[in-house]
Amino acid sequence: MKKPEKNPLEWIVFALGLALVLSTVGYLIYDAATLGDAPPTIEVRAGAPVRRPHNFIIPVSVINHGDRTAEGVEIEVVLKSGGEELERGEFTVPFLPRRATREGWVAFRTDPLTAERVEARVAGYEEP
Amino acid sequence: MSPTVQSLQEYARGIAGGLLFSLPLLYTMEVWWAGFTTHPLRLLGYVLVTFTLLLGYNFYAGLRHDASFAEVAIDSVEEMGLGLLIAAIMLLLLGRVTSDMPVSEIVGKIVIEAMTVAIGVSVGTAQLGGADDGGSGEGGGDGASDAGRRGGKKAQTRAGKGRDEINFGGQVVIAICGAVLFAANVAPTEEIVMLGAEISSWKITGLAGASIALAALILFYSDFVGARELCPTGSFSGILIGATITYAIALVSSALILWFFGRFDGTAMITCVAQTVVLGLAATLGASAGRLILQSR
């Protein structure tokens, strides 16, 4: 086989390309080897309420601890006092990839600080 | 012109080609989603198949017609690296990749976009160069063959040299490249799923017939670029065989792409076939017209 004719620039690009391709392939192999099969396991974390001019909003983090992606994740946050529901806020996360975190806000007319409890939960989701 | 400038021009053409051919995919949300819903093993398979296609395309229709296998492999690695880089930069600029995403999501999105970009880079490097720039980047390539190839006369181009007489296997490889390049632009969209689910059996049959007719028309009856040497008009049976083989390649390519994007998961057999035929029309265009364009010089 004849020796490939390349100038230094081409060798540099080749070296960088090889490094990129090998690390990508390496990562995919590593990921495939370590990936489990746990269904979406979703944690919902409500933050501290914030007062805005027209309403009150609560930041919500949605975290998928599972090994599969969840689609159409419905999040609902309920303000409760004495076992009674004061107000309810909802939003939907279109896609929640495995190990990913998405942020959202729920809005209320009632001041969440007047409620005894703030319950945040995931209502449901589908497998893409 | 110095070899370095020539190489830089080649890379610039590659970047242009990569973006030209893959832009619809970079702007399609179903492709971003596939980046994180696809299992890493399937992504790995996608990378390997694309690399094989790159090797095949560079070997049969690449810029350096007299390249050794080592050079073809080096070029393919360069093109795949460029593809990954371009995809990463574009996704970053479009805000589809951000630092708060898990690594698996970032890598998935980049890989899934980069593969078509890489084929585009390869095609761009080989096909988009000016005919008289002498920018073949052939290093010490012999001037005579260079001039012959750059003369723009296809008859001259194909004359003499062993590999320039592209054989059946080479045509199949380039046809697959064309089919993938064209079909991949519509394959990941929801529209294919919808069409596959709603279409009637008679219309599927009609689409299949139209695809074969289209292949015959492009390859044998339209004096298409390069068609005269690659598909000389022969007997009716020859035309039928040529069109049918082209359509078969198109169907296999579209089935593979659809399977890759998870369109066959939990889907009834008939719907899979319907989707394949619907996408097969796009793939046929790629396997016939695309194939001729991809090696038109």
Coordinates of all heavy atoms in Angstrom, one line a residue, chain A residues 1-2 4-7 9-11 13-14 17-18 20-21 24-25 27-29 31-32 35 69 95 97-100 102 128, chain B residues 3-4 7-8 11 33 36-37 39-41 44 64 66 70-71 74-75 77-78 80-81 84 102-105 107 111 138 140:
Chain A
M1 N 0.8 -1.2 0.0 CA 0.0 0.0 0.0 C 0.9 1.2 0.0 O 1.8 1.3 0.8 CB -0.9 0.0 1.3 CG -2.1 0.9 1.1 SD -2.9 1.1 2.7 CE -3.2 -0.6 3.2
K2 N 0.5 2.2 -0.9 CA 1.4 3.4 -0.9 C 1.0 4.3 0.3 O -0.1 4.3 0.8 CB 1.2 4.1 -2.2 CG -0.1 4.9 -2.3 CD -0.2 5.5 -3.7 CE -1.6 6.0 -4.0 NZ -1.8 7.4 -4.1
P4 N -0.1 7.4 2.4 CA -1.0 8.5 2.1 C -0.3 9.8 2.0 O 0.6 10.1 2.9 CB -1.9 8.4 3.3 CG -1.8 7.1 3.9 CD -0.4 6.7 3.6
E5 N -0.6 10.6 1.0 CA 0.1 11.9 0.9 C -0.8 13.0 1.6 O -1.9 13.3 1.1 CB 0.3 12.3 -0.6 CG 1.4 11.6 -1.2 CD 1.3 11.5 -2.7 OE1 0.3 12.0 -3.2 OE2 2.2 10.8 -3.3
K6 N -0.3 13.5 2.7 CA -1.1 14.5 3.4 C -0.2 15.6 3.9 O 0.9 15.4 4.2 CB -1.7 13.8 4.7 CG -2.7 12.7 4.4 CD -4.1 13.2 4.4 CE -5.0 12.2 3.7 NZ -6.3 12.8 3.3
N7 N -0.8 16.8 3.9 CA 0.0 17.9 4.5 C -0.3 18.0 6.0 O -1.2 17.4 6.5 CB -0.3 19.2 3.7 CG -1.8 19.6 3.8 OD1 -2.3 19.5 4.8 ND2 -2.3 20.0 2.6
L9 N -1.7 20.1 7.9 CA -3.0 20.5 8.3 C -4.0 19.4 8.3 O -4.8 19.1 9.2 CB -3.5 21.6 7.3 CG -5.0 22.1 7.6 CD1 -5.1 22.9 8.8 CD2 -5.5 22.9 6.4
E10 N -3.8 18.5 7.2 CA -4.7 17.4 7.0 C -4.5 16.4 8.2 O -5.4 15.8 8.7 CB -4.6 16.8 5.7 CG -5.2 17.6 4.6 CD -5.0 17.0 3.2 OE1 -3.9 16.7 2.8 OE2 -6.0 17.0 2.5
W11 N -3.2 16.2 8.6 CA -3.0 15.3 9.7 C -3.6 15.8 10.9 O -4.1 15.1 11.7 CB -1.5 15.1 9.8 CG -0.9 14.2 8.8 CD1 0.1 14.4 7.9 CD2 -1.2 12.8 8.6 NE1 0.3 13.3 7.1 CE2 -0.4 12.3 7.6 CE3 -2.2 11.9 9.2 CZ2 -0.5 11.0 7.1 CZ3 -2.2 10.6 8.8 CH2 -1.4 10.2 7.7
V13 N -6.3 17.8 11.3 CA -7.7 17.6 11.2 C -8.1 16.1 11.4 O -9.0 15.8 12.1 CB -8.3 18.1 9.8 CG1 -9.7 17.8 9.7 CG2 -8.0 19.6 9.7
F14 N -7.2 15.3 10.8 CA -7.5 13.8 10.9 C -7.4 13.4 12.4 O -8.2 12.7 12.9 CB -6.5 13.0 10.1 CG -6.5 11.6 10.4 CD1 -7.6 10.8 10.2 CD2 -5.4 11.0 11.0 CE1 -7.6 9.4 10.5 CE2 -5.4 9.6 11.3 CZ -6.5 8.8 11.0
G17 N -10.3 14.7 14.2 CA -11.5 13.9 13.9 C -11.5 12.6 14.5 O -12.5 12.1 15.1
L18 N -10.3 11.9 14.5 CA -10.2 10.6 15.1 C -10.5 10.7 16.6 O -11.3 9.8 17.1 CB -8.8 10.1 14.9 CG -8.6 8.6 15.2 CD1 -9.4 7.7 14.3 CD2 -7.1 8.2 15.2
L20 N -12.4 12.9 18.1 CA -13.8 13.1 18.3 C -14.6 11.8 18.1 O -15.5 11.5 18.9 CB -14.3 14.1 17.3 CG -14.5 15.6 17.7 CD1 -14.9 16.4 16.6 CD2 -15.6 15.6 18.8
V21 N -14.3 11.1 17.0 CA -15.1 9.9 16.6 C -14.9 8.8 17.7 O -15.8 8.2 18.2 CB -14.6 9.4 15.2 CG1 -15.3 8.1 14.9 CG2 -15.0 10.4 14.1
T24 N -16.7 9.7 20.9 CA -18.1 9.5 20.7 C -18.5 8.1 20.8 O -19.4 7.7 21.6 CB -18.6 10.1 19.4 OG1 -18.1 11.5 19.3 CG2 -20.1 10.1 19.3
V25 N -17.8 7.2 20.0 CA -18.0 5.8 20.0 C -17.8 5.2 21.4 O -18.6 4.4 21.9 CB -17.2 5.1 19.0 CG1 -17.2 3.6 19.1 CG2 -17.6 5.5 17.6
Y27 N -18.0 6.7 24.3 CA -19.0 7.1 25.2 C -20.3 6.3 25.0 O -21.0 5.9 25.9 CB -19.4 8.6 25.1 CG -20.5 9.0 26.0 CD1 -20.3 9.2 27.3 CD2 -21.8 9.1 25.4 CE1 -21.4 9.4 28.2 CE2 -22.9 9.4 26.3 CZ -22.7 9.5 27.6 OH -23.8 9.8 28.4
L28 N -20.7 6.1 23.7 CA -21.9 5.3 23.4 C -21.8 3.9 23.9 O -22.7 3.4 24.5 CB -22.1 5.3 21.9 CG -22.6 6.6 21.2 CD1 -22.8 6.5 19.7 CD2 -23.9 7.1 21.9
I29 N -20.6 3.3 23.8 CA -20.4 2.0 24.3 C -20.5 2.0 25.8 O -21.2 1.2 26.4 CB -19.0 1.4 23.9 CG1 -19.0 1.2 22.4 CG2 -18.7 0.1 24.6 CD1 -17.6 0.8 21.8
D31 N -22.1 4.1 27.7 CA -23.5 4.4 28.0 C -24.4 3.2 27.9 O -25.2 2.9 28.7 CB -24.0 5.6 27.1 CG -25.3 6.2 27.6 OD1 -25.5 6.1 28.9 OD2 -26.0 6.7 26.9
A32 N -24.2 2.5 26.8 CA -25.0 1.3 26.5 C -24.7 0.2 27.6 O -25.6 -0.5 28.1 CB -24.7 0.7 25.1
L35 N -26.2 1.4 31.0 CA -27.6 1.8 31.0 C -28.5 0.7 31.6 O -28.5 -0.4 31.1 CB -28.1 2.2 29.6 CG -29.5 2.7 29.4 CD1 -29.8 3.9 30.2 CD2 -29.8 2.9 28.0
T69 N -36.9 7.7 28.8 CA -37.5 9.0 28.6 C -39.0 9.0 28.9 O -39.7 8.0 28.6 CB -37.2 9.5 27.2 OG1 -35.8 9.6 27.0 CG2 -37.9 10.8 26.9
F95 N -41.1 16.7 27.0 CA -40.2 15.5 27.1 C -39.3 15.6 28.3 O -38.7 16.7 28.5 CB -39.3 15.4 25.8 CG -40.0 14.8 24.7 CD1 -40.6 15.6 23.7 CD2 -40.0 13.4 24.5 CE1 -41.3 15.1 22.6 CE2 -40.7 12.9 23.4 CZ -41.3 13.7 22.5
P97 N -36.0 13.6 29.3 CA -35.1 12.5 29.0 C -34.6 11.9 30.3 O -34.7 12.5 31.3 CB -34.0 13.2 28.2 CG -34.5 14.5 27.7 CD -35.6 14.9 28.7
R98 N -34.0 10.7 30.1 CA -33.4 10.0 31.3 C -32.4 10.9 31.9 O -31.6 11.5 31.3 CB -32.8 8.7 30.9 CG -31.8 8.7 29.9 CD -31.4 7.3 29.4 NE -30.7 7.3 28.2 CZ -29.4 7.1 28.1 NH1 -28.7 6.8 29.2 NH2 -28.8 7.1 26.9
R99 N -32.4 10.9 33.3 CA -31.4 11.7 34.1 C -31.5 13.2 33.9 O -30.6 13.9 34.2 CB -30.0 11.2 33.8 CG -29.7 9.7 33.8 CD -29.7 9.2 35.2 NE -29.7 7.7 35.2 CZ -30.1 7.0 36.3 NH1 -30.5 7.6 37.4 NH2 -30.1 5.7 36.2
A100 N -32.5 13.7 33.2 CA -32.6 15.1 32.9 C -33.4 15.8 33.9 O -34.3 15.3 34.6 CB -33.1 15.3 31.5
R102 N -35.9 19.4 34.2 CA -36.6 20.5 33.6 C -37.2 21.4 34.6 O -37.6 20.9 35.6 CB -37.6 20.0 32.6 CG -37.1 19.2 31.4 CD -36.5 20.0 30.4 NE -36.3 19.3 29.1 CZ -35.1 18.8 28.8 NH1 -34.1 18.8 29.7 NH2 -34.9 18.1 27.7
P128 N -42.4 7.5 25.0 CA -42.4 8.0 23.7 C -42.2 6.8 22.6 O -41.7 5.8 23.0 CB -41.1 8.9 23.6 CG -40.3 8.5 24.7 CD -41.2 7.9 25.8
Chain B
P3 N -0.6 23.5 -0.8 CA -1.5 22.3 -0.4 C -2.4 22.7 0.8 O -3.5 22.2 0.8 CB -0.5 21.2 0.0 CG 0.8 21.6 -0.6 CD 0.8 23.1 -0.8
T4 N -1.8 23.5 1.7 CA -2.6 23.9 2.8 C -3.9 24.7 2.4 O -5.0 24.4 2.9 CB -1.8 24.7 3.8 OG1 -0.5 24.1 4.0 CG2 -2.5 24.8 5.2
S7 N -6.3 22.3 1.0 CA -7.1 21.6 2.0 C -8.1 22.4 2.7 O -9.2 22.0 2.9 CB -6.1 21.0 3.1 OG -4.9 20.6 2.5
L8 N -7.7 23.7 3.0 CA -8.7 24.6 3.6 C -9.9 24.7 2.8 O -11.0 24.7 3.3 CB -8.0 25.9 3.9 CG -7.1 26.0 5.2 CD1 -6.4 27.3 5.3 CD2 -8.0 25.7 6.4
Y11 N -12.0 21.7 3.1 CA -12.8 21.7 4.3 C -14.0 22.7 4.3 O -15.1 22.4 4.7 CB -11.9 22.0 5.5 CG -10.9 20.9 5.8 CD1 -9.6 21.2 6.0 CD2 -11.3 19.6 5.8 CE1 -8.6 20.2 6.2 CE2 -10.3 18.6 6.0 CZ -9.0 18.9 6.2 OH -8.1 17.9 6.4
W33 N -35.6 15.0 19.4 CA -36.2 14.0 20.4 C -35.6 12.7 20.2 O -35.3 12.0 21.2 CB -37.7 13.9 20.1 CG -38.5 15.2 20.4 CD1 -38.0 16.3 21.1 CD2 -39.8 15.6 19.9 NE1 -38.9 17.3 21.1 CE2 -40.0 16.9 20.3 CE3 -40.7 15.0 19.1 CZ2 -41.2 17.6 20.0 CZ3 -41.9 15.6 18.8 CH2 -42.1 16.9 19.3
F36 N -32.5 11.7 22.3 CA -32.5 11.2 23.7 C -33.5 10.1 23.9 O -33.4 9.5 25.0 CB -32.8 12.4 24.7 CG -34.1 13.2 24.5 CD1 -35.3 12.6 24.8 CD2 -34.0 14.4 24.0 CE1 -36.4 13.4 24.6 CE2 -35.1 15.2 23.8 CZ -36.4 14.7 24.1
T37 N -34.3 9.7 22.9 CA -35.2 8.5 23.2 C -34.5 7.3 22.6 O -34.9 6.2 22.9 CB -36.6 8.7 22.5 OG1 -36.4 9.1 21.1 CG2 -37.4 9.8 23.2
H39 N -31.9 4.3 22.0 CA -31.0 3.5 22.9 C -29.5 3.7 22.3 O -29.3 3.7 21.1 CB -31.3 2.1 22.8 CG -30.6 1.3 23.9 ND1 -29.4 0.8 23.7 CD2 -31.0 0.9 25.1 CE1 -29.0 0.1 24.8 NE2 -30.0 0.2 25.7
P40 N -28.5 3.9 23.2 CA -27.2 4.1 22.8 C -26.6 3.1 21.8 O -25.8 3.4 20.9 CB -26.3 4.2 24.1 CG -27.3 3.8 25.2 CD -28.6 4.0 24.7
L41 N -27.1 1.8 22.0 CA -26.6 0.7 21.1 C -27.1 1.0 19.6 O -26.4 0.8 18.7 CB -27.1 -0.6 21.5 CG -26.2 -1.4 22.5 CD1 -26.8 -2.8 22.7 CD2 -24.8 -1.5 21.9
L44 N -25.0 3.7 18.2 CA -23.7 3.1 17.8 C -23.8 2.4 16.5 O -23.0 2.6 15.6 CB -23.3 2.1 18.9 CG -21.8 1.7 18.8 CD1 -20.9 2.8 19.1 CD2 -21.6 0.6 19.8
R64 N -10.6 11.8 -4.5 CA -9.4 11.3 -5.0 C -9.7 9.9 -5.6 O -9.9 8.9 -4.8 CB -8.4 11.1 -3.8 CG -8.1 12.4 -3.2 CD -7.4 12.2 -1.8 NE -7.1 13.5 -1.2 CZ -8.0 14.2 -0.5 NH1 -9.2 13.8 -0.4 NH2 -7.6 15.4 0.1
D66 N -7.8 7.9 -7.2 CA -6.8 6.9 -7.1 C -6.4 6.7 -5.6 O -5.3 6.2 -5.4 CB -5.6 7.4 -7.9 CG -5.1 8.7 -7.5 OD1 -5.8 9.4 -6.7 OD2 -4.0 9.2 -8.0
A70 N -6.2 3.3 2.8 CA -5.8 4.1 4.0 C -6.3 5.5 3.9 O -6.8 6.1 4.8 CB -4.3 4.0 4.2
E71 N -6.1 6.1 2.7 CA -6.5 7.5 2.4 C -8.0 7.6 2.5 O -8.5 8.6 3.1 CB -6.0 7.9 1.1 CG -4.6 8.3 1.0 CD -4.1 8.7 -0.3 OE1 -4.3 7.9 -1.3 OE2 -3.6 9.8 -0.5
I74 N -8.9 7.6 6.2 CA -8.5 8.8 6.8 C -9.5 9.9 6.4 O -10.0 10.6 7.3 CB -7.1 9.2 6.4 CG1 -6.1 8.3 7.0 CG2 -6.8 10.7 6.7 CD1 -4.7 8.5 6.5
D75 N -9.9 10.0 5.2 CA -10.9 11.0 4.7 C -12.2 10.8 5.5 O -12.9 11.7 5.9 CB -11.1 10.9 3.2 CG -10.0 11.5 2.4 OD1 -9.1 12.1 3.1 OD2 -9.9 11.4 1.2
V77 N -12.8 9.4 8.4 CA -12.7 9.8 9.8 C -12.7 11.3 9.9 O -13.5 11.9 10.7 CB -11.4 9.2 10.4 CG1 -11.2 9.9 11.8 CG2 -11.4 7.7 10.5
E78 N -12.0 12.0 9.0 CA -12.0 13.5 9.0 C -13.4 14.0 8.8 O -13.9 14.9 9.5 CB -11.2 14.0 7.8 CG -9.7 14.1 8.1 CD -9.0 14.7 6.9 OE1 -9.6 15.2 6.0 OE2 -7.7 14.5 6.9
M80 N -16.3 12.4 9.3 CA -17.2 12.2 10.5 C -16.9 13.1 11.6 O -17.8 13.6 12.3 CB -17.0 10.7 10.9 CG -18.1 10.3 11.9 SD -18.3 8.6 12.0 CE -19.6 8.3 10.9
G81 N -15.6 13.4 11.8 CA -15.2 14.4 12.9 C -15.8 15.7 12.6 O -16.3 16.4 13.5
L84 N -19.5 15.7 13.3 CA -19.8 15.9 14.7 C -19.6 17.3 15.2 O -20.4 17.9 15.9 CB -18.8 14.9 15.5 CG -19.2 13.4 15.5 CD1 -18.0 12.6 16.0 CD2 -20.4 13.2 16.3
P102 N -28.2 16.4 30.7 CA -27.3 15.2 30.9 C -26.4 14.9 29.7 O -26.9 15.2 28.6 CB -28.2 14.1 31.2 CG -29.6 14.5 30.7 CD -29.6 16.0 30.7
V103 N -25.2 14.3 29.9 CA -24.3 14.1 28.8 C -25.0 13.2 27.8 O -24.8 13.4 26.5 CB -23.0 13.4 29.3 CG1 -22.0 13.2 28.2 CG2 -22.4 14.2 30.5
S104 N -25.8 12.2 28.2 CA -26.4 11.2 27.3 C -27.3 12.0 26.3 O -27.3 11.7 25.1 CB -27.2 10.2 28.0 OG -28.2 10.8 28.8
E105 N -28.0 13.0 26.8 CA -28.9 13.8 25.9 C -28.1 14.6 24.9 O -28.4 14.6 23.7 CB -29.8 14.7 26.7 CG -30.8 15.5 25.9 CD -31.7 16.4 26.7 OE1 -31.5 16.4 28.0 OE2 -32.4 17.2 26.1
V107 N -24.9 14.1 23.8 CA -24.2 13.2 22.8 C -25.2 12.6 21.9 O -25.0 12.6 20.6 CB -23.5 12.1 23.6 CG1 -22.9 11.1 22.6 CG2 -22.3 12.7 24.4
V111 N -24.9 13.2 17.9 CA -24.6 12.0 17.0 C -25.7 11.8 16.0 O -25.4 11.7 14.8 CB -24.5 10.7 17.9 CG1 -24.6 9.5 17.0 CG2 -23.3 10.7 18.7
E138 N -4.7 16.9 -4.3 CA -4.2 15.5 -4.5 C -2.8 15.4 -4.0 O -2.2 14.4 -4.2 CB -4.4 15.2 -6.0 CG -4.5 13.7 -6.1 CD -5.2 13.4 -7.5 OE1 -5.7 14.2 -8.1 OE2 -5.1 12.2 -7.9
G140 N 0.7 15.1 -4.4 CA 1.5 14.9 -5.5 C 0.8 14.1 -6.6 O 1.5 13.4 -7.4

